[in-house]
């Protein structure tokens, strides 16, 4: 039975899906019901933390020879299908004389190997909300059947170990399998939340090693930092993609004390306009910002027109050079970036801005950024 919930993304209506955590909770309820009633359920349903009800037909639900029962639910990612879409999430349940619902990970579920994740090192990578959903679903079955004891639940994802190699799990510190995830229980198509969640996890892990952080949108920034030796100062580097504002908020929540934002001029010039999500679908006023700051620096009308017509930010640099305006315009843009970073940080931490180009190298370094880098180099010496 298809999950028929839709959200709008741009001009399209996209179908939502449900998380591995929802699948695990449904499967656990199905296995518990079979054990308690002797009847394999033909349908399973639960209300997710988002408030939406998910109803599925289990792929199978059967008794195990060694005791207990096993139930499987197929993951449906909707129109945001990821590597887990279509995989089976299974729950093996045994009844216990003692109270409570214990939860562990089996085949295909990863183990946490680094601090800073949702679960402690050594635990199965089944996050807090899915654990609550599983425990609640099984407890409801126990209560309905008036079972005086508790239950033990083992979640497994056949093929999860191999599939996990195509995810961020090995980089984040989850080894041997997939994570059982979900905070709302629902997968929203084209959701940006998964990326922001990854940034938060990496920032939380970085916080384990100190209160200093370098943020950069992507590979260009990482390469520039390496070329300048800035990645060797003992300060962790976290890629934040287009989500500058979210990354700064995360840094504040994690109580970092010093943050350097280093990025390509094509991304960070947008921050000079107060744009904190730099994806082109959100805003693209790169050349307009160049034009405005050039005009304030005394650029001719002809130069302003050429800047507006420039195809890229790199193409703006020689245009500025032609009127001797590179330094004042880039200084003005860098100062504007710094102002908006400080406004977003709201005093939570010291922050600095570094802007560069692959073609022209370092283009802007705010005084605050220079101070941070000098401190880090002195400390690391």
């Amino acid at each position: 039975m298809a999950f028929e919930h839709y959200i709008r993304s741009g001009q399209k209506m996209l179908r939502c899906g449900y998380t591995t955590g929802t699948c695990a909770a449904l499967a656990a309820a199905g296995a518990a019901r079979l054990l308690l009633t002797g009847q394999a359920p033909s349908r399973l349903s639960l209300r997710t933390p988002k408030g939406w009800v998910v109803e599925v037909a289990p792929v199978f639900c059967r008794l195990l020879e060694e005791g207990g029962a096993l139930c499987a639910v197929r993951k449906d990612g909707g129109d945001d299908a990821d590597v887990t879409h279509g995989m089976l999430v299974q729950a093996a349940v045994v009844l216990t004389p003692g109270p409570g619902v214990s939860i562990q990970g089996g085949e295909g579920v990863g183990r946490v190997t680094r601090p800073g994740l949702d679960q402690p090192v050594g635990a199965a990578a089944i996050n807090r909300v899915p654990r609550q959903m599983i425990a609640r679903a099984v407890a409801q079955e126990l209560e309905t059947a008036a079972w005086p004891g508790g239950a033990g639940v083992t979640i497994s994802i056949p093929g999860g170990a191999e599939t996990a190699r195509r995810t961020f799990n090995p980089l984040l510190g989850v080894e041997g399998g997939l994570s059982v995830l979900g905070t709302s229980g629902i997968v929203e198509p084209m959701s940006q939340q998964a990326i922001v969640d990854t940034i938060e996890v990496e920032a939380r892990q970085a916080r384990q090693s100190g209160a200093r952080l370098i943020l950069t949108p992507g590979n260009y920034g990482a390469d520039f930092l390496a070329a300048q030796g800035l990645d060797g100062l003992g300060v962790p580097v976290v890629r934040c993609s287009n989500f500058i504002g979210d990354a700064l908020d995360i840094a504040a929540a994690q109580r970092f004390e010093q943050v350097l934002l280093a990025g390509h001029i094509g991304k960070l010039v947008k921050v000079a306009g107060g744009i904190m999500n730099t994806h082109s679908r959100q805003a693209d006023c790169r050349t307009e910002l160049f034009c405005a700051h050039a005009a304030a620096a005394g650029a001719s009308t002809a130069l302003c027109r050429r800047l507006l017509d420039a195809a890229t930010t790199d193409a703006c640099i020689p245009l500025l050079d032609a009127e001797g305006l590179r330094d004042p315009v880039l200084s003005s843009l860098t100062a504007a970036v710094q102002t908006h970073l400080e406004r977003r940080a709201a005093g939570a931490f010291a922050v600095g801005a570094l802007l560069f180009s692959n073609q022209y190298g370092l283009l802007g370094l705010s005084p605050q950024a220079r101070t941070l880098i000098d401190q880090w180099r002195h400390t690391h010496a």
Side-chain angles (χ1 to χ4, degrees):
M1 53 193 81
F3 187 60
E4 298 292 345
H5 282 273
Y6 293 83
I7 62 171
R8 183 183 59 81
S9 178
Q11 298 179 358
K12 297 180 179 180
M13 296 301 294
L14 300 176
R15 188 174 68 84
C16 297
Y18 37 87
T19 63
T20 48
T22 295
C23 294
L26 287 163
R33 191 177 307 171
L34 173 57
L35 278 180
L36 292 162
T37 67
Q39 298 293 320
S42 60
R43 292 190 177 189
L44 298 165
S45 68
L46 63 74
R47 185 174 296 276
T48 63
K50 189 177 180 70
W52 295 359
V53 173
V54 176
E55 184 176 5
V56 303
V59 177
F60 62 78
C61 194
R62 59 174 180 257
L63 295 172
L64 298 173
E65 292 182 2
E66 61 271 25
L70 181 69
C71 185
V73 169
R74 193 174 302 280
K75 166 69 183 300
D76 180 1
D79 286 330
D80 195 36
D82 62 9
V83 294
T84 64
H85 179 70
M87 297 187 74
L88 295 186
V89 180
Q90 299 180 172
V93 175
V94 294
L95 299 177
T96 61
V101 178
S102 64
I103 301 167
Q104 60 182 343
E107 174 196 355
V109 174
R111 290 272 160 189
V112 177
T113 62
R114 290 172 56 187
L117 296 176
D118 182 272
Q119 294 296 303
V121 172
I126 305 172
N127 280 7
R128 177 180 57 85
V129 172
R131 286 178 182 269
Q132 293 172 347
M133 294 172 66
I134 294 165
R136 187 179 303 115
V138 172
Q140 289 175 349
E141 298 294 335
L142 297 175
E143 181 179 358
T144 299
W147 175 256
V153 181
T154 301
I155 303 300
S156 60
I157 308 176
E162 180 178 349
T163 301
R165 299 191 188 104
R166 307 198 301 273
T167 72
F168 286 112
N169 274 11
L171 296 176
L172 296 177
V174 175
E175 299 290 343
L178 295 164
S179 300
V180 179
L181 302 171
T183 55
S184 68
I186 299 298
V187 176
E188 295 188 12
M190 312 302 289
S191 171
Q192 300 174 346
Q193 191 59 45
I195 301 174
V196 175
D197 288 346
T198 299
I199 296 168
E200 184 168 14
V201 168
E202 293 186 358
R204 194 184 314 136
Q205 291 177 329
R207 188 64 177 86
Q208 304 292 315
S209 61
R212 304 177 301 177
L213 178 68
I214 298 175
L215 294 171
T216 190
N219 292 332
Y220 286 159
D223 292 344
F224 182 83
L225 292 167
Q228 300 296 311
L230 296 176
D231 64 339
L233 300 179
V235 181
V237 178
V238 170
R239 290 172 172 82
C240 60
S241 185
N242 293 299
F243 304 99
I244 308 295
D246 287 299
L248 294 169
D249 293 345
I250 289 167
Q254 293 297 321
R255 300 186 182 278
F256 281 94
E257 297 173 6
Q258 297 179 329
V259 177
L260 174 68
L261 175 64
H264 190 279
I265 184 73
K267 288 278 188 192
L268 296 200
V269 70
K270 299 180 185 181
V271 181
I275 297 163
M276 291 291 164
N277 182 332
T278 57
H279 195 286
S280 59
R281 288 191 63 180
Q282 299 296 321
D284 190 357
C285 56
R286 295 168 296 169
T287 57
E288 288 87 347
L289 284 162
F290 262 96
C291 177
H293 284 260
S300 66
T301 300
L303 174 57
C304 288
R305 173 52 58 191
R306 286 194 293 271
L307 288 170
L308 285 173
D309 292 339
T312 65
T313 51
D314 277 344
C316 292
I317 305 303
L319 297 177
L320 295 173
D321 287 342
E323 293 194 14
L325 291 176
R326 181 198 289 202
D327 288 346
V329 171
L330 288 169
S331 294
S332 180
L333 284 168
T334 302
V337 172
Q338 179 69 34
T339 295
H340 285 290
L341 293 181
E342 290 178 349
R343 186 171 297 159
R344 187 65 174 244
F349 48 80
V351 63
L354 182 158
L355 287 69
F356 70 91
S357 157
N358 294 342
Q359 185 172 354
Y360 296 100
L362 181 65
L363 293 176
L365 186 68
S366 69
Q368 296 85 344
R370 188 180 299 279
T371 297
L372 291 178
I373 293 170
D374 288 345
Q375 289 179 0
W376 297 350
R377 282 179 169 151
H378 177 75
T379 302
H380 191 68

